[in-house]
Amino acid sequence: MEYSENQNGDQYDLSLSGKFTFADRKFFKDLFIKIREGNIKHLTIGLSEIEFVDSAALGILLLARDEAEKLQINLVLKSPKDQVKKMFEISRFYELFQIEE
Amino acid sequence: MPDIQDNTNSGNISYNAKHSMILIAVPSKENSRIAQDMLMSYGFSEFIFAYDGKDAMDITLRSEPDLVLIDMNIKGMNAIEYCKSIRELELFKSLPIIVQTADHHHEQRTKIFANGATDFISTPLEKMELISRVKVRLENHKLINSLVEYQEHMQQELTTAREMQNLIMPIEPDIIDIEKNHNVSVGSFFKPSYEMGGDFWGINSADDDIVDLYAVDFSGHGVTAAINTFRLHTIMYSSISRLSAGEYLAYLNRKITPLISADQFATMFFGTIDSKNNTLTYATAGTTDAILVTKNMTEIVTLDGSGFPIGITTSSKYDTKEIEFNKNDMLILYSDALIETRNNKKEFFSTECIVDFLAENIKNSKSYNARHAVSDILTEFNAKYSHNLNDDLTLVAVSR
């Protein structure tokens, strides 16, 4: 998985690309350390360039949801496509997350 | 006298190299004295000596030294012959053997390694080089031995755990009982990707007309996922009252959610075949689309597997769906590994592919049942896809 980031005040935008799997746990762990210290109130995770997610990746997003709730951060997942969108639909992620096209 | 630093203190590996027994096998007493003095100056204290190759062999077998320093051209049996013979014995497969030689030719040194030497050293010996090589080889040897022991121990633990996990899944005699008592055919396959897996499945009968079938896939792999299978299984088998499929998933979800961390969840299919009323009632929790072969095996449809995976939030609700399930109908459940593994052309064995594949096989067969379906799908999968498999694989089918 590759990523690019952009912070503007308390808004933090993350764009991911490639395959999002179990291997990316550490990245998200570090991300939340950064967010905890960074006074962030809005987190957007862009998924339009992600071509594949496995069940562990869904787990990582659920963990992010949990963390965001604890830190009172507004978490938005953006533009899931193809297999990612399908996985979100199967797992009812549209009801668990704020997801924007 | 400077002592040898013990640099191998990591975890439970603690080791003092200076108590190692070193066999020095060189042709002359004078030369062996030089090597011994050099090593003693660094704290090594236990030595044995041989002055020809055959002696070196005998002493090795008898005294089992921790390291051997042997001269390339020792009489009787040269170092290459010594290495070759000693490596044939299981006990000495990893014994550190350092060959000393004045020969600087590349081919000669390659030949020394090819025959089982661990390292070589040039003569005349240089004190610091000799000490470094001996020390490094002893430490490596000890570390490797500790790792091998640790690995063997873990292997045993995992084997026991895997046997425990197999016990929560139906065994062949139980399956045959259900087949006989309920006039059904049951085909199944389960293979964890690592030692242990996050998948499990089951089939039970409450009374003569009712057969419950379920398949579960916990997120992640390995020990964590496997422990969760035990947790869920315990909850499943400690609930007594009969609920509808949807209520049952909601119940399991309520129970398991507080027990597992936020990133862990399970996808699940739970269905009940009622052979009196010819129905299948089922509920799904974010699982793969089950395959239903129906209308006397002339039609194949898929059952939407969507729903909240269980273990995410306690409030999740699940719909109970009911469809006809008549004589000759077949239900096939599978974990996502079946449809998410690519073949060499990077194509998936998608649900659509499986449906087409099944249709073809059913057409060419007189009486097709669940055991045939599982065996056919598995043969196709193993032939074209399984070498890329890195997830637990479960495949279960029931036909009436």
Side-chain angles (χ1 to χ4, degrees):
Chain A
M1 188 185 81
E2 305 282 312
Y3 75 100
S4 64
E5 57 187 340
N6 182 35
Q7 190 175 350
N8 189 358
D10 63 359
Q11 168 79 40
Y12 186 86
D13 293 325
L14 192 64
S15 284
L16 309 179
S17 59
K19 290 191 173 79
F20 179 12
T21 64
F22 187 75
D24 301 307
R25 280 166 80 92
K26 171 104 173 64
F27 171 79
F28 273 85
K29 216 173 156 190
D30 295 345
L31 173 73
F32 269 90
I33 292 171
K34 195 150 88 184
I35 283 174
R36 240 173 267 144
E37 292 162 355
N39 222 0
I40 286 154
K41 286 283 147 227
H42 305 277
L43 169 63
T44 303
I45 303 177
L47 299 165
S48 63
E49 303 291 314
I50 290 284
E51 56 190 73
F52 177 83
V53 289
D54 67 0
S55 70
L58 296 184
I60 294 169
L61 288 175
L62 289 165
L63 207 59
R65 171 178 172 269
D66 215 47
E67 283 285 324
E69 225 163 74
K70 276 185 217 153
L71 300 170
Q72 297 186 312
I73 289 169
N74 174 36
L75 170 66
V76 177
L77 304 183
K78 226 169 163 165
S79 312
K81 298 264 170 359
D82 304 326
Q83 187 261 1
V84 184
K85 195 181 165 96
K86 203 175 152 205
M87 287 291 272
F88 280 13
E89 282 165 0
I90 291 169
S91 311
R92 299 271 163 93
F93 266 35
Y94 285 87
E95 293 168 58
L96 293 169
F97 287 88
Q98 185 181 338
I99 300 176
E100 290 176 0
E101 285 311 311
Chain B
M1 187 186 288
D3 207 0
I4 286 187
Q5 289 276 314
D6 184 358
N7 293 326
T8 54
N9 262 323
S10 63
N12 58 358
I13 298 163
S14 164
Y15 171 58
N16 193 344
K18 74 178 177 185
H19 298 305
S20 304
M21 189 200 282
I22 299 171
L23 166 61
I24 298 177
V26 296
S28 76
K29 279 195 179 164
E30 193 196 335
N31 285 339
S32 69
R33 172 61 67 81
I34 293 172
Q36 183 191 10
D37 285 350
M38 287 177 176
L39 292 167
M40 277 179 75
S41 77
Y42 223 74
F44 289 104
S45 56
E46 294 180 33
F47 300 93
I48 23 173
F49 303 93
Y51 300 100
D52 79 48
K54 288 207 171 91
D55 269 356
M57 191 73 198
D58 290 343
I59 292 173
T60 307
L61 298 179
R62 198 169 59 235
S63 306
E64 298 177 20
D66 298 303
L67 181 139
V68 178
L69 174 67
I70 186 167
D71 191 272
M72 181 59 212
N73 296 314
I74 194 163
K75 290 173 297 202
M77 178 189 229
N78 74 20
I80 288 179
E81 290 160 354
Y82 169 85
C83 288
K84 242 168 130 172
S85 313
I86 216 79
R87 291 295 186 230
E88 280 170 15
L89 305 168
E90 190 58 41
L91 185 61
F92 301 111
K93 281 267 185 283
S94 64
L95 170 68
I97 303 172
I98 302 176
V99 176
Q100 69 168 41
T101 173
D103 193 334
H104 293 277
H105 289 101
H106 177 69
E107 303 83 52
Q108 178 70 356
R109 300 195 159 185
T110 308
K111 203 174 162 195
I112 293 172
F113 280 123
N115 283 284
T118 317
D119 204 349
F120 67 84
I121 187 164
S122 300
T123 49
L125 294 175
E126 202 279 314
K127 186 167 124 180
M128 284 319 290
E129 188 190 4
L130 176 65
I131 289 164
S132 305
R133 288 193 192 268
V134 166
K135 213 178 131 210
V136 149
R137 292 303 161 191
L138 281 169
E139 284 169 358
N140 279 354
H141 181 57
K142 185 72 188 174
L143 275 170
I144 287 168
N145 277 354
S146 305
L147 276 173
V148 167
E149 270 171 38
Y150 178 72
Q151 208 175 17
E152 280 168 0
H153 175 71
M154 283 306 288
Q155 202 62 42
Q156 273 173 11
E157 296 273 306
L158 282 168
T159 304
T160 311
R162 191 176 50 226
E163 283 163 9
M164 284 169 66
Q165 192 174 35
N166 285 339
L167 288 176
I168 69 172
M169 271 172 271
I171 52 171
E172 193 60 19
D174 294 345
I175 294 173
I176 291 168
D177 267 357
I178 287 184
E179 288 185 315
K180 274 189 196 150
N181 297 338
H182 297 272
N183 212 8
V184 290
S185 159
V186 181
S188 70
F189 177 80
F190 166 78
K191 184 172 177 271
S193 59
Y194 299 100
E195 297 291 339
M196 303 188 69
D199 281 13
F200 73 106
W201 72 279
I203 187 162
N204 297 310
S205 57
D207 65 48
D208 288 352
D209 305 317
I210 302 288
V211 173
D212 292 331
L213 179 72
Y214 62 86
V216 177
D217 180 356
F218 265 99
S219 59
H221 318 291
V223 173
T224 316
I227 289 171
N228 285 333
T229 63
F230 289 123
R231 282 171 155 154
L232 185 63
H233 184 263
T234 305
I235 296 169
M236 289 179 76
Y237 285 81
S238 53
S239 52
I240 33 167
S241 62
R242 184 108 201 131
L243 302 167
S244 75
E247 285 166 352
Y248 188 54
L249 288 195
Y251 166 80
L252 296 179
N253 176 63
R254 268 199 313 279
K255 291 279 182 186
I256 195 83
T257 302
L259 300 179
I260 62 180
S261 79
D263 60 332
Q264 296 164 9
F265 59 84
T267 64
M268 185 168 180
F269 177 101
F270 184 89
T272 300
I273 295 165
D274 183 334
S275 51
K276 196 162 116 193
N277 295 312
N278 297 318
T279 57
L280 166 69
T281 51
Y282 67 96
T284 55
T287 185
T288 52
D289 294 346
I291 295 171
L292 179 74
V293 184
T294 182
K295 308 260 191 282
N296 258 321
M297 301 237 167
T298 58
E299 206 178 304
I300 306 179
V301 295
T302 56
L303 309 178
D304 175 24
S306 69
F308 292 110
I310 65 172
I312 297 174
T313 131
T314 49
S315 59
S316 300
K317 297 271 184 289
Y318 301 88
D319 294 333
T320 301
K321 295 164 198 164
E322 185 174 298
I323 55 172
E324 277 184 33
F325 196 75
N326 295 304
K327 200 90 190 116
N328 288 328
D329 284 357
M330 171 156 56
L331 174 69
I332 303 169
L333 311 179
Y334 50 92
S335 57
D336 52 7
L338 187 70
I339 54 170
E340 284 179 5
T341 305
R342 292 173 197 263
N343 65 11
N344 285 340
K345 293 178 192 156
K346 301 251 170 208
E347 300 154 339
F348 292 110
F349 196 24
S350 65
T351 307
E352 295 76 29
C353 291
I354 299 169
V355 166
D356 292 344
F357 172 76
L358 269 178
E360 196 59 31
N361 282 339
I362 291 169
K363 211 166 67 188
N364 298 326
S365 160
K366 269 186 190 144
S367 58
Y368 204 73
N369 66 25
R371 283 188 183 254
H372 300 134
V374 166
S375 154
D376 287 348
I377 293 171
L378 210 57
T379 306
E380 175 77 359
F381 182 82
N382 283 339
K384 296 180 183 165
Y385 300 85
S386 67
H387 45 280
N388 294 325
L389 179 66
N390 62 0
D391 196 357
D392 308 330
L393 179 61
T394 305
L395 175 62
V396 191
V398 178
S399 60
R400 286 188 62 200

